[in-house]
Amino acid sequence: QVQLVQSGGGSVQAGGSLRLSCAASGFMYNVYTMGWFRQAPGKEREGVASISAGDPGTTHYADSVKGRFTVSRENANATLSLQMSSLRPEDTAMYFCAKCTSRWRRCALVGGDYSDWGQGTQVTVSS
């Protein structure tokens, strides 16, 4: 049974930093692309960052977070992380980690490419 359990997040002032973590279990973590998505109230879900299978994986970022967010993975303990710096009020959203549908597939930053999701964690950035 696939499980993605998120931790981290919270509230911070603009310019601050937060770190999100996602503990994975129930599948062969190291062979799946993993992603981070976010959804703000009244807005569509947005792909934030992804990291491919392997060590190290290849990363991809939404233009809106490039240079500010860093996605990483620890295959030994099946953990996915998102380090967020220089946060802006527009980064406020519920953040979700997600697992790609198929092993070794280079999933894009679109929700349909992912089959399993974490429970979500709130990030609030105040100005």
Side-chain angles (χ1 to χ4, degrees):
Q1 178 184 357
V2 174
Q3 283 196 313
L4 300 172
V5 179
Q6 297 180 224
S7 59
S11 298
V12 67
Q13 288 193 325
S17 299
L18 286 172
R19 185 178 183 88
L20 306 182
S21 295
C22 176
S25 62
F27 64 101
M28 194 176 293
Y29 176 78
N30 58 305
V31 301
Y32 286 87
T33 291
M34 299 295 294
W36 286 99
F37 291 77
R38 66 187 181 186
Q39 188 164 20
K43 293 189 176 181
E44 292 188 355
R45 181 174 54 193
E46 174 189 19
V48 175
S50 68
I51 184 166
S52 67
D55 187 13
T58 300
T59 56
H60 291 279
Y61 297 92
D63 288 344
S64 58
V65 306
K66 276 181 184 176
R68 300 187 298 120
F69 290 13
T70 301
V71 60
S72 60
R73 65 188 301 159
E74 285 282 347
N75 289 331
N77 59 12
T79 302
L80 179 73
S81 297
L82 184 69
Q83 178 67 43
M84 304 181 291
S85 302
S86 301
L87 282 161
R88 305 166 180 168
E90 54 264 39
D91 294 319
T92 296
M94 187 72 78
Y95 284 71
F96 299 88
C97 63
K99 167 188 160 290
C100 179
T101 53
S102 305
R103 57 177 62 190
W104 295 115
R105 179 184 175 191
R106 291 279 184 96
C107 281
L109 278 175
V110 291
D113 280 7
Y114 295 79
S115 55
D116 299 273
W117 298 82
Q119 82 277 18
T121 185
Q122 180 67 37
V123 171
T124 302
V125 185
S126 58
S127 58

